[in-house]
Amino acid sequence: MKVAVVGAGIVGSAIAHALLDEGHEVLVLDKEGPGFGPSRGNAGWIAHTDILPIASPKILRQVPKFLLDPLGPLAIRPAYFPKLLPWLARFVLAARPDAYERSIQGIGALQQRALPAWLARAKSTGLESHIHRKGGLYVFTEAGAFEEARGIAKRQAEFGIKVEMIGPAELRQFEPALKDKFVGAAFHPDTAHISDPLQLTLALFEAALARGATFEKAEVVNISTGERPALIGRDGFQRVVDRAVVAAGAWSKPLASALGDKVPLDTERGYNVSFPGVTGLTTRPVGFEGHGFVMTPLESGLRIGGAVEFGGLEAPPNHARTKILYDKASRFVDGLPAFDSGTLWMGFRPSLPDSLPVIGAASRNPHVVYAFGHGHYGMTQSTITAEFVAALIAGRAPAIDLAPFSPRRF
């Protein structure tokens, strides 16, 4: 069949390959080009070890404290607050204990398959050199949080995720650049990180073109409900295909709405600063628990990023938030370069209240499949999502039950 994929980020590029594997003719459409969105500047982890949704009973207790700090790890721009209220209502519902547990099961089902899917795709496309398997660290400054992590490690083990709890002395042997401020760490030996998010996205996209996929730069604003979906753009643009996939990340909501699905998609604005050419400071990615940032040793340079800001797609970035992340990092890491020598970035994570992506057919046209809303895990979950999308396009049952990811779950 002829299948159009709307979105040329990491998710859309991975889907293109999964469809090519099935022998389909693949057309990729994007309003900018490959790697334009968060695929360009994310933290660069294949974070398959993360199984906890953001919405939880614990986070609800912390939200008031976060919101009192406009530069803290979670912030809502005042002008955007009224628009965010429906999303926040869903977030509160997702934080209830039973809903929280369902989200863990859904996330875990994706995460335990994510790394094998990535390794298989990297091998099939000759991109294995982009994947670095040196493990990952989550470091703790508070003893209570460190002890709580032991309980989380038991949950991770249920999904086959390996965790080793280590003390301060062993941590310093792992990463000598970390200052003596930590009570311990959770070491995930199987965690992988990538050379550079943009480089990998472009390489995966180019590999799809080399296999026969085609690309057109076009902003798709509507998709018809006909048996052969028509993808409609501006200035008379139209392409008619046999099947279509919406993988446009933060820009997917209007297309889903036109197809009968009121998905509560919003955007978490993430910030980072990268230091090109700064390598070797750490060996593996490090997450600083309770401090809202991570640090990744990309081949292109050191990257420090994190935080969550709700402010929509239009407001300009507030890089005072990025400076806060850097200042925190400087308290915990020796040898950081000067902030002014870094390159600043802000991107839009497509976020759903329960931290689960939308994977499934559109209400008004079963020949259109959704694959968006991966939040912090677009890079991680892209290749396994692609496998599920290919199954849906072919009319096969996917490897897992996709009911938790239905666009009609809200």
Side-chain angles (χ1 to χ4, degrees):
M1 294 182 290
K2 184 170 185 177
V3 186
V5 180
V6 183
I10 193 67
V11 175
S13 297
I15 289 170
H17 281 280
L19 295 172
L20 289 165
D21 290 345
E22 305 268 337
H24 300 302
E25 179 185 350
V26 178
L27 168 64
V28 181
L29 301 167
D30 194 282
K31 66 178 183 177
E32 295 289 345
F36 168 72
S39 301
R40 176 177 297 268
N42 65 64
W45 295 39
I46 299 178
H48 76 289
T49 60
D50 294 358
I51 62 168
L52 300 183
I54 296 175
S56 69
K58 178 181 176 180
I59 201 72
L60 286 185
R61 295 191 295 270
Q62 296 176 328
V63 165
K65 179 186 70 174
F66 289 152
L67 296 184
L68 290 174
D69 181 2
L71 296 178
L74 188 155
I76 301 173
R77 293 203 175 188
Y80 196 70
F81 189 83
K83 294 182 181 179
L84 191 63
L85 280 173
W87 190 96
L88 289 173
R90 293 287 184 183
F91 185 83
V92 171
L93 292 175
R96 293 175 300 174
D98 56 340
Y100 176 65
E101 182 61 32
R102 287 196 299 272
S103 293
I104 290 175
Q105 295 302 318
I107 295 170
L110 286 179
Q111 299 292 63
Q112 69 180 154
R113 293 165 174 80
L115 183 58
W118 249 120
L119 296 177
R121 180 56 64 199
K123 183 177 181 179
S124 70
T125 52
L127 300 178
E128 293 164 293
S129 64
H130 287 263
I131 311 294
H132 306 284
R133 302 190 67 187
K134 298 182 178 180
L137 286 165
Y138 289 87
V139 297
F140 297 82
T141 56
E142 302 294 333
F146 184 50
E147 288 305 312
E148 185 179 347
R150 296 183 186 276
I152 296 171
K154 294 179 181 178
R155 296 303 310 269
Q156 291 169 316
E158 296 172 13
F159 296 100
I161 296 167
K162 297 178 182 178
V163 189
E164 300 171 12
M165 307 304 291
I166 63 175
E170 191 174 0
L171 175 60
R172 290 301 300 273
Q173 293 177 352
F174 269 75
E175 298 295 348
L178 296 181
K179 296 182 180 180
D180 188 18
K181 293 180 178 290
F182 302 101
V183 298
F187 174 58
H188 298 273
D190 293 335
T191 290
H193 69 282
I194 61 178
S195 296
D196 180 89
L198 179 58
Q199 291 175 9
L200 178 56
T201 302
L202 293 177
L204 193 65
F205 175 82
E206 293 294 337
L209 297 187
R211 295 181 64 195
T214 56
F215 172 74
E216 289 189 67
K217 187 174 181 180
E219 181 179 2
V220 177
V221 297
N222 202 356
I223 301 176
S224 76
T225 57
E227 183 173 350
R228 298 192 73 227
L231 291 91
I232 301 163
R234 304 190 186 280
D235 301 321
F237 178 90
Q238 181 170 304
R239 296 291 181 270
V240 179
V241 294
D242 299 304
R243 301 288 188 271
V245 181
V246 178
W251 292 268
S252 300
K253 186 175 182 177
L255 294 176
S257 180
L259 289 164
D261 295 298
K262 302 297 184 183
V263 178
L265 181 72
D266 214 288
T267 56
E268 297 177 31
R269 299 152 62 93
Y271 291 83
N272 68 47
V273 56
S274 300
F275 299 96
V278 176
T279 59
L281 191 63
T282 62
T283 303
R284 54 188 60 79
V286 181
F288 295 78
E289 287 295 308
H291 299 282
F293 74 97
V294 300
M295 187 169 67
T296 311
L298 304 176
E299 283 191 2
S300 54
L302 183 69
R303 178 164 293 168
I304 299 168
V308 171
E309 179 190 53
F310 291 95
L313 293 167
E314 304 300 330
N318 176 12
H319 281 298
R321 298 183 61 79
T322 318
K323 181 62 163 58
I324 290 292
L325 296 176
Y326 171 86
D327 290 343
K328 286 181 178 181
S330 66
R331 299 203 305 266
F332 298 126
V333 184
D334 286 321
L336 289 182
F339 178 74
D340 292 343
S341 68
T343 301
L344 304 181
W345 182 84
M346 186 273 288
F348 303 103
R349 307 182 190 106
S351 177
L352 288 156
D354 57 5
S355 298
L356 299 176
V358 168
I359 308 172
S363 292
R364 292 179 181 165
N365 193 336
H367 295 161
V368 179
V369 173
Y370 300 136
F372 61 81
H374 293 80
H376 295 246
Y377 304 112
M379 180 67 69
T380 300
Q381 297 172 355
S382 56
T383 50
I384 189 60
T385 296
E387 292 183 12
F388 297 154
V389 168
L392 292 174
I393 293 291
R396 298 192 308 271
I400 66 171
D401 179 11
L402 294 183
F405 315 101
S406 169
R408 290 164 288 283
R409 69 185 187 265
F410 300 103

